[in-house]
Amino acid sequence: EEVSEKQSNVTKSAVLVGYCADAKTCESPIPAGTEVKVTEDVTYYAVWAAATEKVTVATGNGYQTATDVYTFVNWTVKGTETTKNAGSEYTLDSDVTLVANYNSAAREYTLTVNYKYADGSEAAKTYTDSVANGTEYNIENPVIAGYSADKEVSGTMPTEDVVVTVTYSANADTKYVVEYYQEDLNADTYTKVDTVNKTGTTDTEATYDVNSYSGFTYEKTLYFDGETEITTNTIDGEGTTIIKVYYTRNSYEVDVETEGGDKNPESETR
């Protein structure tokens, strides 16, 4: 990009053009620093160009393409190695063209990853990042116990924003346990008599059988998440659901007969 310097009224200055012999003006002034052989008296008059304004160098504008971003650095005086920074002052003694210098970097685009359940509700916080085009990305999906993601998020960033939706589906093989307890004899305590390891779909109702045990009657079922009792019968994705099924011991009235065949007037329950 080539531009001319932006002028502003700051100060005036005169530019030395050269010297004229015995005259205040001449067509070809001798440049300053030139060696001259003098054979007779001569007077040299300095010749000055018309006063010019000091100008303030303007800043350059950054720009971008689909693949790169260009950030302005400074100017170079065309045809020389002289550089000028934005904001510096410069006295013009001729037409000048400044060439803008830039640093470049790959343009970045936005990568967005949405995490959803199958019903469209949010499964995890949305991930966003700025990724330079042409750069490979590989985003690790959040781990959600009892659920599986439908895709991995990886690829090479194109020259546009990317939006990916990862959908989590409930696993159908999440573990849970059913335990069976019988009431102890002549006590208010229970003893575990059976354990069944089962699997089911995460966050759905856990199924279990109410077994039949001779001499016992089904009493109640309690639900636990690990050691904590809960009120819902739902399969936890962590595999920590425990269902405890309780049975009371049956009692019976027994009549005892004596050896002679008479019934004991006192009966007992067992």
Side-chain angles (χ1 to χ4, degrees):
E1 181 184 357
E2 296 186 358
V3 298
S4 295
E5 293 179 276
K6 180 182 177 181
Q7 295 190 5
S8 60
N9 295 323
V10 181
T11 59
K12 296 281 186 175
S13 61
V15 178
L16 178 63
V17 176
Y19 296 88
C20 292
D22 292 326
K24 293 185 178 180
T25 61
C26 57
E27 290 187 2
S28 301
I30 302 170
T34 303
E35 292 187 1
V36 180
K37 184 177 182 179
V38 178
T39 59
E40 57 184 353
D41 292 340
V42 63
T43 300
Y44 290 96
Y45 293 90
V47 179
W48 300 88
T52 61
E53 296 179 348
K54 274 190 177 181
V55 296
T56 300
V57 180
T59 186
N61 295 321
Y63 67 98
Q64 60 186 14
T65 65
T67 57
D68 297 286
V69 176
Y70 294 88
T71 303
F72 174 76
V73 178
N74 58 16
W75 304 95
T76 296
V77 178
K78 187 175 182 179
T80 74
E81 296 183 357
T82 302
T83 59
K84 296 291 183 181
N85 294 322
S88 62
E89 291 187 340
Y90 189 25
T91 301
L92 298 176
D93 56 6
S94 61
D95 292 339
V96 172
T97 299
L98 300 182
V99 180
N101 301 313
Y102 292 89
N103 286 333
S104 65
R107 183 174 175 178
E108 295 182 342
Y109 291 87
T110 300
L111 171 64
T112 303
V113 185
N114 297 311
Y115 301 103
K116 302 289 185 181
Y117 288 115
D119 63 1
S121 61
E122 184 178 74
K125 184 178 179 180
T126 297
Y127 173 92
T128 58
D129 193 14
S130 295
V131 182
N133 73 91
T135 300
E136 293 186 358
Y137 60 86
N138 187 1
I139 310 303
E140 185 174 351
N141 289 326
V143 175
I144 301 178
Y147 287 81
S148 296
D150 67 341
K151 63 174 68 71
E152 298 295 327
V153 182
S154 61
T156 301
M157 198 67 182
T159 54
E160 62 182 356
D161 294 337
V162 173
V163 179
V164 180
T165 298
V166 177
T167 302
Y168 286 82
S169 298
N171 295 339
D173 58 353
T174 303
K175 296 179 180 180
Y176 67 98
V177 176
V178 182
E179 298 176 345
Y180 295 88
Y181 292 81
Q182 293 178 350
E183 184 182 21
D184 295 326
L185 182 62
N186 298 324
D188 292 330
T189 57
Y190 293 80
T191 297
K192 182 167 63 175
V193 296
D194 202 0
T195 299
V196 178
N197 295 313
K198 304 191 71 174
T199 59
T201 301
T202 302
D203 287 333
T204 63
E205 182 179 0
T207 61
Y208 62 95
D209 295 323
V210 177
N211 296 340
S212 295
Y213 294 99
S214 178
F216 293 86
T217 300
Y218 169 76
E219 178 188 10
K220 63 183 177 181
T221 300
L222 300 179
Y223 310 109
F224 290 82
D225 181 7
E227 298 297 324
T228 305
E229 185 177 351
I230 56 178
T231 58
T232 56
N233 178 22
T234 302
I235 301 173
D236 189 277
E238 296 284 355
T240 55
T241 298
I242 302 174
I243 299 173
K244 297 184 179 184
V245 186
Y246 293 86
Y247 297 80
T248 57
R249 184 177 295 272
N250 294 342
S251 62
Y252 303 92
E253 189 173 283
V254 179
D255 292 327
V256 180
E257 293 184 356
T258 63
E259 188 175 347
D262 294 332
K263 291 184 178 181
N264 189 329
E266 294 184 1
S267 61
E268 58 182 286
T269 301
R270 297 183 182 179

